[in-house]
């Protein structure tokens, strides 16, 4: 096993972790189920590719643009769907995933269609991705332990009680979605740079499902559980490349069995250091 | 003019397929208050049972259809028993049911991918698709058959819900499951009946869609449009689900026929967003207020 290969797997793990942290905030902490977050990765990836390729932006600015653009789209989707109680967002999230894919495939002049956008500058080596992942990870941990984090959890556990206590549940859900889309947008952009090209098929429904499966498996409401699960999934996908056709079946089984047997996932609401210190979260 | 009529009927036929999915989905939603994403799986199961009954067992259309209705209905009941009932019993968040249903949807889809392969299969030509002449324009006889079958099944469902004791229990539970249970309704059995009906109706739609397009494991993905139709009509309302389905089917076919078939899926999504912005309770929905 060469160092290059190992580096590649580590970068993939970090990229998956950034995206999964975003989904974890929304689904695990805020209780909003999504099946379209690959769309935000796709938006981020294309924003970077086009920003650097066509407008010759330096990569830090293109990367920021990727996150901001994903957040903006999330805001536009979130406002009509998250102010309602019910499964409206879940349904819309699948629709969004499809819509983004169709737009990217058909907007040939901008995205170069289904064949993909090649020649993206490979700035995303292990050190860049590692640094960004660390910074975004720390920001996320701080966010979940802040006043916002507690409000998010209140929205998940009892929206009615939360609103009686003065939490604006609609705004909180939208904030959570916007932040989570930012994470996915950045992750998509880093992924595009790491691969040096981007294709709409990279961000399909199975990618969205993978993100949600990672979060559920890691434990709803545990950030370190999410990262642990991202590591497990990245390794499993690498180790069993030959068994790709069983991959989706396994994701499905993970979702069902986790919900039936241990809905709190591997970590529950605990973070890893709670276990190390031997006290409850 | 005649092409407009053709597209309209085509849309009504597609809308019929959506309606049979959407009523089952709405029925489940009205009782358990979660979107059963595995609903599309029942449609695929029904489609494959019909396909293999026709090709391998050499059955006629009617026995094959009945077999697929029963098979899809039973797998819906089984899905509920295995994946949802344990979660329901704990009284957990509906989020858990949503996640479990997505899991079941993936499991069912990929079961078929692994068991029979992902390729597209054509159902034998058991439903006539020949063009016939009505009021001076030619229309597909298949579209007329689909419309007639769907409308009679929907009428049958309406009679079941209005005229039978179980129908009364289902309507009561859609207002308040706990109170209905206190009045002596066996909730588990009621949920099983609802899932059976939902699965059986979905399988009819599965057969129609398999004839219309082809049969493949991801065919169940089309249910997302039926979900959108249910939201447009009013989530949890059965007449709303039917109305929304026909509206969506016709809109899709008009867009495909007169603008471009590439944008029809985008139009579906736009319709969802516009509905939620302008009239979030849907066309015929109950008012959206949470019970304390």
């Amino acid at each position: 096993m060469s160092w290059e290969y190992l580096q590649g797997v580590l970068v993939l793990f970090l990229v998956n972790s950034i995206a999964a942290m975003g989904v974890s905030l929304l689904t695990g902490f805020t209780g909003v189920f999504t099946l379209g977050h690959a769309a935000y990765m796709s938006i981020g990836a294309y924003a970077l590719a086009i920003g650097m390729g066509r407008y010759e932006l330096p990569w830090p600015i293109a990367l920021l643009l990727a996150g901001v653009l994903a957040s903006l789209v999330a805001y536009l989707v979130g406002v009509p769907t998250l102010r309602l109680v019910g499964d409206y967002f879940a349904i819309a999230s699948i629709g969004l995933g499809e819509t983004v894919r169709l737009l990217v495939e058909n907007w040939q002049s901008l995205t170069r269609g289904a064949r993909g956008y090649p020649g993206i500058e490979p700035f995303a080596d292990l050190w860049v991705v590692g640094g960004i992942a660390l910074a975004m990870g720390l920001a996320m941990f701080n966010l979940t332990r802040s006043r916002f984090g507690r409000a998010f959890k209140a929205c998940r556990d009892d929206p009615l009680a939360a609103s009686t206590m003065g939490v604006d549940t609609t705004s909180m859900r939208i904030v959570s979605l916007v932040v989570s889309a930012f994470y996915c947008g950045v992750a998509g952009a880093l992924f595009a740079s790491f691969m040096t090209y981007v294709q709409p098929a990279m961000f399909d429904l199975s990618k969205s499902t993978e993100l949600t499966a990672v979060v559920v498996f890691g434990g709803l409401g545990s950030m370190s559980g999410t990262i642990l699960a991202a590591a497990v999934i990245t390794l499993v996908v690498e180790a069993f490349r030959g068994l790709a056709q069983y991959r989706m079946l396994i994701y499905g089984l993970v979702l069902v069995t986790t919900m039936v047997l241990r809905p709190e996932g591997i970590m529950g609401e605990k973070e890893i250091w709670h276990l190390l210190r031997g006290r409850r979260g | 003019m005649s092409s407009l009529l053709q597209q309209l009927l085509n849309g009504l036929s597609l809308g019929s397929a959506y309606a049979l999915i959407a009523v089952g989905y709405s029925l489940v939603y009205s009782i358990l208050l979660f979107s059963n994403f595995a609903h599309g799986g029942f449609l695929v199961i029904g489609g494959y049972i019909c396909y293999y009954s026709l090709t391998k067992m050499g059955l006629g259309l009617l026995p094959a259809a009945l077999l697929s209705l029963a098979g899809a209905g039973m797998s819906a009941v089984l899905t509920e028993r295995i994946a949802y009932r344990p979660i329901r019993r704990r009284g957990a968040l509906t989020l858990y049911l949503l996640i479990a249903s997505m899991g079941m949807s993936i499991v069912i889809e990929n079961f078929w991918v692994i068991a029979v392969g992902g390729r597209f299969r054509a159902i034998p030509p058991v439903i006539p698709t020949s063009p016939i002449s009505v009021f001076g324009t030619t229309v597909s006889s298949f579209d007329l058959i689909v419309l007639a079958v769907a409308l009679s099944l929907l009428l049958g469902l309406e009679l079941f819900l209005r005229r039978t004791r179980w129908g009364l229990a289902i309507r009561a539970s859609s207002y308040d499951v706990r109170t209905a249970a206190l009045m002596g309704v066996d909730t588990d059995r009621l949920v099983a009946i609802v899932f059976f009906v939902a699965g059986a109706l979905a399988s009819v739609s599965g057969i129609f869609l398999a004839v219309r397009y082809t049969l493949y494991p991801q065919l169940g993905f089309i249910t997302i449009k039926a979900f959108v139709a249910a939201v447009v009509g009013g989530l949890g309302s059965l007449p709303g689900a039917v109305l929304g389905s026909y509206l969506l089917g016709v809109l899709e076919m008009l867009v495909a026929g007169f603008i471009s078939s590439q944008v029809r899926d985008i139009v579906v999504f736009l319709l969802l967003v516009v509905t939620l912005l302008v009239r979030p309770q849907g066309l015929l929905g109950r008012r959206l207020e949470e019970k304390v």
Side-chain angles (χ1 to χ4, degrees):
Chain A
M1 201 188 291
S2 71
W3 168 235
E4 266 87 61
Y5 175 74
L6 199 65
Q7 238 180 334
V9 174
L10 274 173
V11 169
L12 278 181
F13 155 65
L14 291 169
V15 166
N16 284 339
S17 297
I18 295 174
M21 278 194 287
V23 177
S24 183
L25 181 73
L26 186 67
T27 302
F29 282 81
T30 320
V32 178
F33 183 69
T34 170
L35 271 172
H37 261 51
Y40 301 117
M41 292 184 75
S42 182
I43 291 168
Y46 274 95
L48 181 98
I50 294 163
M52 288 179 74
R54 180 185 275 207
Y55 300 104
E56 296 177 350
L57 298 174
W59 70 259
I61 296 185
L63 191 63
L64 195 65
L65 181 78
V68 170
L69 208 63
S71 293
L72 189 70
V73 174
Y75 180 77
L76 293 178
V77 174
V79 166
T81 52
L82 286 175
R83 63 194 174 121
L84 307 166
V85 177
D87 292 345
Y88 299 98
F89 181 78
I91 295 169
S93 73
I94 302 181
L96 176 79
E98 277 300 285
T99 305
V100 167
R101 193 178 58 77
L102 283 168
L103 281 177
V104 169
E105 279 180 10
N106 290 306
W107 199 344
Q108 295 271 356
S109 60
L110 188 69
T111 62
R112 305 191 191 175
R115 277 167 304 153
Y117 201 111
I120 302 168
E121 190 192 317
F123 65 84
D125 60 13
L126 183 57
W127 308 114
V128 169
V129 177
I132 292 170
L134 188 67
M136 291 180 85
L138 286 174
M140 184 58 90
F141 277 108
N142 278 321
L143 179 69
T144 56
R145 292 164 74 168
S146 71
R147 199 184 162 80
F148 277 102
R150 287 188 291 276
F152 292 153
K153 284 188 205 166
C155 291
R156 175 194 65 192
D157 293 335
D158 195 336
L160 197 65
S163 61
T164 331
M165 300 299 283
V167 176
D168 182 349
T169 51
T170 303
S171 305
M172 281 303 136
R173 279 197 283 258
I174 293 173
V175 168
S176 173
L177 172 65
V178 166
V179 174
S180 84
F182 184 86
Y183 274 67
C184 286
V186 169
L190 291 173
F191 183 67
S193 163
F194 172 69
M195 300 296 288
T196 72
Y197 76 102
V198 47
Q199 243 183 337
M202 287 171 173
F203 309 105
D204 55 0
L205 189 66
S206 60
K207 185 69 195 174
S208 294
T209 312
E210 180 186 300
L211 289 173
T212 301
V214 163
V215 169
V216 169
F217 183 56
L220 296 172
S222 168
M223 248 339 135
S224 46
T226 299
I227 294 169
L228 195 65
V232 171
I233 295 265
T234 311
L235 286 178
V236 167
V237 168
E238 278 303 313
F240 298 103
R241 279 212 174 273
L243 298 174
Q245 58 166 337
Y246 293 101
R247 190 161 136 195
M248 288 302 287
L249 188 69
I250 292 167
Y251 290 158
L253 288 173
V254 162
L255 288 176
V256 180
T257 46
T258 311
M259 283 301 112
V260 171
L261 300 176
R262 193 176 155 81
E264 64 272 32
I266 46 179
M267 292 298 294
E269 275 200 45
K270 294 190 203 82
E271 302 290 0
I272 285 177
W273 44 92
H274 294 148
L275 297 181
L276 294 179
R277 281 191 223 145
R279 68 177 170 85
R280 299 179 66 85
Chain B
M1 191 58 214
S2 78
S3 80
L4 177 68
L5 201 68
Q6 278 166 6
Q7 290 296 349
L8 274 179
L9 185 67
N10 210 341
L12 288 176
S13 152
L14 183 62
S16 300
Y18 291 162
L20 292 174
I21 305 171
V23 287
Y25 160 76
S26 285
L27 209 53
V28 170
Y29 190 93
S30 70
I31 309 265
L32 296 181
L33 298 175
F34 83 104
S35 288
N36 178 24
F37 284 115
H39 200 67
F42 309 152
L43 168 169
V44 176
I45 291 173
Y48 275 109
I49 293 178
C50 182
Y51 175 80
Y52 284 110
S53 311
L54 289 169
T55 54
K56 292 276 161 20
M57 294 164 63
L59 293 179
L61 176 61
L62 199 63
L66 287 177
L67 212 59
S68 91
L69 246 75
M74 287 316 295
S75 30
V77 173
L78 207 64
T79 299
E80 198 279 323
R81 186 77 44 104
I82 297 170
Y84 307 156
R85 187 175 289 183
I87 302 172
R88 214 153 48 71
R89 285 269 167 81
R90 282 197 305 263
L93 301 174
T94 51
L95 174 68
Y96 295 172
L97 288 169
L98 206 61
I99 294 171
S101 78
M102 195 61 220
M104 280 312 291
S105 150
I106 299 165
V107 168
I108 295 172
E109 179 189 315
N110 287 279
F111 165 77
W112 292 108
V113 172
I114 291 164
V116 303
R119 69 190 173 89
F120 296 78
R121 284 160 208 274
I123 293 251
V126 281
I127 304 180
T129 50
S130 53
I132 51 169
S133 176
V134 182
F135 303 125
T137 50
T138 44
V139 293
S140 155
S141 52
F142 170 71
D143 287 341
L144 289 177
I145 293 171
V146 170
L147 193 59
V149 171
L151 287 179
S152 31
L153 282 174
L154 292 172
L155 187 69
L157 177 67
E158 177 70 14
L159 288 176
F160 168 69
L161 290 175
R162 295 283 156 199
R163 297 287 163 82
T164 63
R165 282 176 65 81
W166 275 111
L168 180 66
I170 290 171
R171 282 186 289 137
S173 301
S174 77
Y175 281 97
D176 193 331
V177 180
R178 283 181 59 189
T179 311
L182 289 174
M183 297 298 140
V185 175
D186 180 347
T187 309
D188 281 344
R189 189 183 282 183
L190 177 122
V191 169
I193 289 175
V194 164
F195 268 85
F196 186 87
V197 170
L201 290 176
S203 86
V204 177
S205 184
I207 297 171
F208 287 157
L209 289 169
V211 173
R212 194 186 169 90
Y213 306 113
T214 46
L215 185 60
Y216 53 100
Q218 290 82 19
L219 183 64
F221 192 67
I222 212 156
T223 42
I224 188 66
K225 291 187 184 165
F227 293 0
V228 170
V231 171
V232 170
L235 205 48
S237 147
L238 293 195
V242 174
L243 184 67
S245 297
Y246 282 109
L247 210 64
L248 192 68
V250 169
L251 180 73
E252 236 189 283
M253 278 301 135
L254 290 182
V255 169
F258 296 102
I259 303 174
S260 134
S261 67
Q262 305 248 308
V263 297
R264 66 189 249 199
D265 289 350
I266 297 177
V267 168
V268 172
F269 182 67
L270 283 180
L271 182 68
L272 173 70
V273 172
V274 169
T275 304
L276 293 180
L277 282 173
V278 179
R279 198 179 159 83
Q281 74 271 38
L283 295 170
L284 303 176
R286 288 183 238 159
R287 284 193 345 117
L288 289 166
E289 258 179 49
E290 239 185 315
K291 283 172 276 189
V292 180

